Amino acid sequence: MFIPRWLLALFALLASLLLGWAVLLANGRNPLPFPDNGSRIFSAASPEAKAAIVELLGQHGIKERFRADSGGVLRSIFWDGTIINTATPEIIAKLDGASSSIGLVSDDPEASARAAAAFLQSRGFTARVMLDLEPELPIAFVVSDAMPGTVINFRKHLIHMPAPQRIPD
């Protein structure tokens, strides 16, 4: 049976790509933006503390993927979706002192945040929605006494967010 060389080469290329992707996945480094399971966000006390934590995590195999800084928040986003950030005192004050967050993906962040706030209020908690915390990013925050020190944020899928700064390997 005759198999054309171009077909063998195409098969070898596809097999190599699949193997490379599998190796990256096994090492916790999915190069694709799918799936986007949201994020878990932890805050450092200062930019210097953030840099130290990022370096420490790197020493333990949790590598920084890229940075997504905005006017009031410096963010390091890791391959597993964890985010280490540091925010200005003004932003932390607007969030009632909350410095950590659970980030959820939503097609309509504002509507999802309003629904989450209504849900928490129906359970007897206070909850309010903040839309203008980072005007350059499509993120809606829910501040509630259900989780002191932590907020919930809703954001668009990673592919709909502004382009981050790449971190060289």
Side-chain angles (χ1 to χ4, degrees):
M1 178 168 148
F2 175 74
I3 300 175
R5 286 184 189 184
W6 68 267
L7 189 57
L8 287 174
L10 180 63
F11 178 76
L13 176 66
L14 290 175
S16 298
L17 289 173
L18 186 59
L19 178 63
W21 186 54
V23 168
L24 287 171
L25 283 177
N27 288 307
R29 299 187 93 186
N30 182 6
L32 302 176
F34 301 100
D36 184 353
N37 297 318
S39 54
R40 306 309 169 252
I41 304 158
F42 304 95
S43 289
S46 67
E48 296 79 17
K50 178 187 154 296
I53 295 297
V54 167
E55 186 176 337
L56 178 66
L57 292 174
Q59 291 173 5
H60 291 275
I62 303 171
K63 302 288 185 194
E64 184 179 33
R65 185 174 187 180
F66 48 79
R67 291 190 188 115
D69 300 337
S70 69
V73 180
L74 303 176
R75 285 182 190 81
S76 290
I77 302 173
F78 293 80
W79 284 92
D80 66 352
T82 298
I83 297 174
I84 304 295
N85 72 14
T86 186
T88 63
E90 294 80 20
I91 287 186
I92 297 218
K94 288 181 182 179
L95 295 174
D96 295 344
S99 60
S100 296
S101 183
I102 298 172
L104 302 172
V105 177
S106 171
D107 290 333
D108 186 347
E110 181 178 349
S112 295
R114 293 194 188 286
F119 173 82
L120 291 170
Q121 290 166 349
S122 76
R123 298 295 197 270
F125 299 99
T126 64
R128 64 185 168 89
V129 175
M130 298 227 23
L131 300 174
D132 60 352
L133 197 63
E134 294 182 84
E136 61 269 27
L137 297 175
I139 301 175
F141 293 85
V142 177
V143 181
S144 173
D145 62 354
M147 294 179 70
T150 303
V151 295
I152 298 170
N153 76 56
F154 293 89
R155 63 167 172 80
K156 295 214 175 244
H157 190 281
L158 183 63
I159 62 173
H160 299 292
M161 296 294 281
Q165 298 170 295
R166 280 265 172 226
I167 303 298
D169 281 334

